[in-house]
Amino acid sequence: MNTASLLEAHALTIETPGGRTLIRELSLRLGRERVAIVGRNGVGKSTLLEVLAGHRQASQGRVVRRGRGVLVAHQLGDCAHPTASPGERRRQLLQSALDARPELLMLDEPTSDLDAAGIAWLSGRLRTWRDGLLVVSHDRALLRSFTQFFVVAESGCRHVEGTFDHLIVELGRERSENERRYLSALNRLVTKEEHNATVRRRRQRKKNVGRIREIKRCPARALLNDKRSYKQESQGKRAVLQKVRIGAAREETKARRRSLPVDLPLELAFPRLPEADLGPVIRGEEVTAAAGERTLFRGLSWSLGRDRVAVCGPNGSGKTTLVETALGLRGTPRAGRVHCDSARVGYIAQNGANWRRDESLVDFIATERRTTCLEMVARVLNAHRFPLALADRPLATLTPGELVRAALICLTQRESPPELLVLDEPTRDLDFLGLAALEAVLAAWPGGLLVVSHDAEFLEAIGVARRIELGLR
């Protein structure tokens, strides 16, 4: 292997526009290796890749680049064919980057929007790539072709060498260690606060006794005021220092909490669905839909209640159109009839786009469940393995993967829970922990599922029994 350096980073510190540190004093050297950058959502993987590619400035440090590099970003830019689907546009961008034969190819979530055929095509091209390769991805199938991993986490960045299965074991060990450290830090914080509370009570008692003694001795008022002023100033400084120390301990605990998966042995708490069979939730009869002059599907019929059905097919075959038509979001189809009992449906669009709102997940659950008991809300979040640190944020500020998971919790906690969940590409942008949690939730969900997905491993895990296959015509 040619070990000539193509990319070097020296003491990189990367911060968000709001000042939150993502990467601190990172140094690395990359030659013509194949390296996958992994980590949970929101830790800064895409930002790091943009800095390394020269598309964004670091807060501190420098990057040295040798040779020609090309970055295919996660966000889709302009395309020569504006009517192309996201998957078709993604493949065009990847094809152009591969054809350019750069010394260093950098890809950010390259399998996003790709169908099964597209993922197979990309995997085949990358297996034969002999120059430098740096890929940010959560795609399990793609990552199994790598043996070099760069793990980005709040606790720091590190290199792991071995198979993807070895990586999962290492991350599991890291999570266990984080949990031990977090619990230890939390115990220290509680002990310190209890100690400070005891000290404050003791000082208050001494202060009260001292005042009584001073009054009995009747000292000069000026001297008494001087003593009080000194004590108040001294105690005030001490209180400020204690507050700073406690604040630092809290921040340390919160930082570990953010990097710690919520993995408590609690049963998934779903509301009870109606026992009675009220008939199909959505129904279509001889439905035909088109995009412009192109027919997507013709004469398609369906009847869904508490079934588990996947909508599959290549990009541009009309999967999202089928879902939106079935839900009545596209108006009247070109031909045929559709019926949807919307009160019995819960829908999450791609990237959770229909759930971008200002309220937080905690607020939503508390409102729907009509409770002020945060302990109950926390139990629900723990059952879904959703990070508590994210639950107080406005839903609109979450990453797409986090938002999809949060929206799913919202749907399952509605006062009148849906009987059929309709999910359009729910695994996009999910990290390993989020994907595993999503699979567990959907596998245990007692209602029906209509899921658009290219991930065969995911569909098997959630128990899909039937598929609606669409094809280009």
Side-chain angles (χ1 to χ4, degrees):
M1 178 183 293
N2 187 346
T3 58
S5 175
L6 295 174
L7 181 71
E8 294 178 8
H10 301 277
L12 278 188
T13 294
I14 303 173
E15 298 177 346
T16 66
R20 181 169 67 92
T21 300
L22 296 173
I23 307 290
R24 186 185 302 277
E25 296 184 354
L26 170 67
S27 295
L28 59 83
R29 178 177 178 273
L30 181 68
R32 298 184 186 275
E33 295 93 358
R34 296 165 44 89
V35 180
I37 301 177
V38 298
R40 79 165 185 84
N41 292 329
V43 294
K45 302 184 299 297
S46 295
T47 304
L48 172 61
L49 199 62
E50 290 176 356
V51 170
L52 295 177
H55 292 201
R56 183 190 292 248
Q57 287 295 319
S59 302
Q60 296 179 21
R62 63 191 180 94
V63 178
V64 178
R65 305 173 190 87
R66 301 183 180 91
R68 189 164 51 96
V70 171
L71 169 65
V72 179
H74 187 203
Q75 299 297 325
L76 291 171
D78 296 330
C79 178
H81 303 286
T83 61
S85 70
E88 292 166 337
R89 294 167 60 193
R90 175 82 58 192
R91 182 157 176 167
Q92 290 171 8
L93 292 172
L94 291 169
Q95 183 72 64
S96 297
L98 290 163
D99 291 345
R101 301 298 307 181
E103 284 83 3
L104 178 59
L105 179 62
M106 292 171 277
L107 308 177
D108 191 359
E109 295 290 356
T111 59
S112 291
D113 309 304
L114 293 182
D115 54 22
I119 293 174
W121 163 80
L122 177 63
S123 298
R125 291 294 303 269
L126 294 185
R127 274 195 297 270
T128 61
W129 188 260
R130 294 294 175 261
D131 290 298
L133 179 62
L134 199 55
V135 178
V136 170
S137 181
H138 298 302
D139 189 291
R140 294 175 291 193
L142 180 64
L143 291 176
R144 287 191 177 99
S145 66
F146 284 80
T147 58
Q148 303 284 340
F149 300 95
F150 188 69
V151 181
V152 181
E154 288 91 341
S155 57
C157 303
R158 63 192 180 95
H159 171 257
V160 175
E161 184 173 359
T163 65
F164 178 68
D165 292 335
H166 171 71
L167 171 68
I168 295 301
V169 172
E170 286 296 308
L171 293 179
R173 291 174 181 170
E174 185 178 86
R175 287 196 298 269
S176 298
E177 180 63 18
N178 283 338
E179 183 174 5
R180 187 191 65 78
R181 290 177 179 174
Y182 168 69
L183 293 176
S184 177
L186 185 59
N187 288 333
R188 288 198 303 270
L189 178 60
V190 171
T191 300
K192 192 173 187 66
E193 289 186 326
E194 290 175 347
H195 170 73
N196 288 339
T198 301
V199 171
R200 284 195 299 270
R201 289 194 296 269
R202 185 184 305 129
R203 285 178 180 157
Q204 186 62 46
R205 287 197 299 269
K206 288 183 178 181
K207 183 178 180 181
N208 293 337
V209 172
R211 284 179 177 174
I212 295 174
R213 289 175 178 172
E214 288 172 345
I215 292 173
K216 287 180 178 180
R217 289 198 300 266
C218 296
R221 182 174 297 275
L223 180 60
L224 179 60
N225 287 339
D226 284 345
K227 286 184 176 180
R228 286 178 177 171
S229 176
Y230 172 77
K231 287 183 178 180
Q232 289 171 354
E233 182 179 353
S234 177
Q235 291 175 359
K237 289 180 179 179
R238 191 179 295 112
V240 169
L241 289 174
Q242 287 175 351
K243 186 175 182 179
V244 170
R245 292 191 187 105
I246 291 296
R250 278 203 187 96
E251 288 305 313
E252 179 186 8
T253 300
K254 288 179 181 177
R256 286 174 176 164
R257 187 74 177 251
R258 283 194 295 268
S259 67
L260 181 67
V262 180
D263 191 15
L264 301 179
L266 300 177
E267 294 182 0
L268 293 169
F270 294 125
R272 184 180 296 276
L273 299 182
E275 297 285 351
D277 183 3
L278 302 178
V281 178
I282 57 175
R283 185 173 63 252
E285 300 174 2
E286 298 294 325
V287 177
T288 296
E293 298 300 319
R294 181 164 64 90
T295 299
L296 297 174
F297 51 85
R298 185 191 305 276
L300 188 62
S301 298
W302 63 81
S303 179
L304 300 175
R306 298 188 186 180
D307 315 89
R308 290 180 175 250
V309 180
V311 181
C312 304
N315 289 325
S317 60
K319 299 183 296 296
T320 296
T321 299
L322 170 59
V323 166
E324 293 180 348
T325 299
L327 297 177
L329 301 177
R330 284 186 173 251
T332 304
R334 175 165 292 186
R337 295 185 301 171
V338 295
H339 170 76
C340 175
D341 190 346
S342 57
R344 300 163 62 196
V345 174
Y347 173 53
I348 303 176
Q350 286 189 22
N351 297 324
N354 59 327
W355 281 89
R356 295 198 173 277
R357 49 184 77 182
D358 293 333
E359 67 182 322
S360 70
L361 180 54
V362 169
D363 293 337
F364 185 94
I365 296 173
T367 300
E368 287 292 321
R369 300 296 290 268
R370 300 181 182 181
T371 182
T372 58
C373 178
L374 293 181
E375 184 178 351
M376 186 281 291
V377 175
R379 283 199 299 268
V380 171
L381 297 174
N382 285 335
H384 286 262
R385 302 179 185 178
F386 193 86
L388 298 178
L390 302 178
D392 285 323
R393 299 182 187 177
L395 291 171
T397 66
L398 300 179
T399 66
E402 294 164 349
L403 181 55
V404 167
R405 291 190 59 207
L408 180 59
I409 297 173
C410 290
L411 288 174
T412 62
Q413 297 303 310
R414 276 188 350 195
E415 184 177 5
S416 299
E419 295 179 50
L420 177 67
L421 296 175
V422 180
L423 314 175
D424 194 351
E425 295 287 359
T427 63
R428 289 184 57 185
D429 302 313
L430 274 178
D431 55 34
F432 308 133
L433 298 179
L435 180 55
L438 178 66
E439 288 178 344
V441 170
L442 294 180
W445 170 247
L449 293 173
L450 178 62
V451 181
V452 175
S453 179
H454 299 298
D455 191 333
E457 189 174 342
F458 167 72
L459 294 177
E460 181 179 358
I462 64 175
V464 165
R466 181 160 56 96
R467 302 190 182 210
I468 297 176
E469 297 280 355
L470 301 181
L472 294 173
R473 295 179 183 270

